[in-house]
Amino acid sequence: MGNFIQGKDGNLYGIKSSGGAYGAGAIDKYNTATGALTALYNFTGNTDGGYAYNGQSLATDASGNFYGMSTYSGVNNSGGIYKITPSGSFTLIYSFTGGNDGQQPFGNVIVGKDGMLYGMARRGGLYGFGVIFKCSTDGTVFDTIHS
């Protein structure tokens, strides 16, 4: 399991790379009051992704939503950025094309002071060796910062 992050509700949230209902991993919620560990979302291994790299963790915004990346996901199977609410509502907000926007996002996404998501992809871009990107939390704005 990756690193836990504490939500606005006081509970801990983390990503595991395998297991879950479909074997592709899950986003788990640990209730700090009761000690209960439950799957908030089970990855299917399809467009939603799954199989997170060990150590991968979520980022949270001011509203309490969580964001993460999946290396082999999205409509192009080139990776994706997702949003999940504390109640478990999952949305794939951006699908990498494998072109200038990058391919196979890797590591963690962070929420910047400007409210944008920042991260890296290890392949794609102008030279094929990856990109640094920023993306809005609804996925409507995506910019390659560096290739």
Side-chain angles (χ1 to χ4, degrees):
M1 177 171 282
N3 301 317
F4 277 110
I5 184 170
Q6 191 164 33
K8 289 182 79 167
D9 59 5
N11 294 309
L12 303 177
Y13 296 83
I15 306 168
K16 62 183 170 189
S17 59
S18 62
Y22 306 106
I27 298 174
D28 286 339
K29 174 182 176 180
Y30 176 75
N31 186 312
T32 55
T34 66
L37 181 68
T38 57
L40 183 65
Y41 182 80
N42 290 290
F43 289 104
T44 64
N46 295 315
T47 56
D48 67 346
Y51 310 107
Y53 286 97
N54 287 331
Q56 202 170 24
S57 59
L58 299 166
T60 187
D61 67 11
S63 299
N65 297 306
F66 301 100
Y67 300 88
M69 298 187 301
S70 199
T71 301
Y72 300 103
S73 64
V75 297
N76 304 302
N77 200 31
S78 293
I81 304 170
Y82 60 83
K83 171 184 175 179
I84 187 161
T85 66
S87 62
S89 177
F90 181 94
T91 306
L92 183 67
I93 61 170
Y94 187 79
S95 290
F96 289 84
T97 66
N100 287 344
D101 65 340
Q103 180 180 7
Q104 297 178 349
F106 191 77
N108 298 315
V109 67
I110 63 167
V111 179
K113 289 183 180 182
D114 59 359
M116 298 288 282
L117 304 173
Y118 291 85
M120 297 184 298
R122 62 182 179 176
R123 300 220 191 317
L126 290 176
Y127 309 106
F129 297 108
V131 300
I132 299 171
F133 64 83
K134 72 177 180 178
C135 181
S136 61
T137 56
D138 63 2
T140 58
V141 175
F142 185 95
D143 289 317
T144 300
I145 298 171
H146 184 76
S147 188

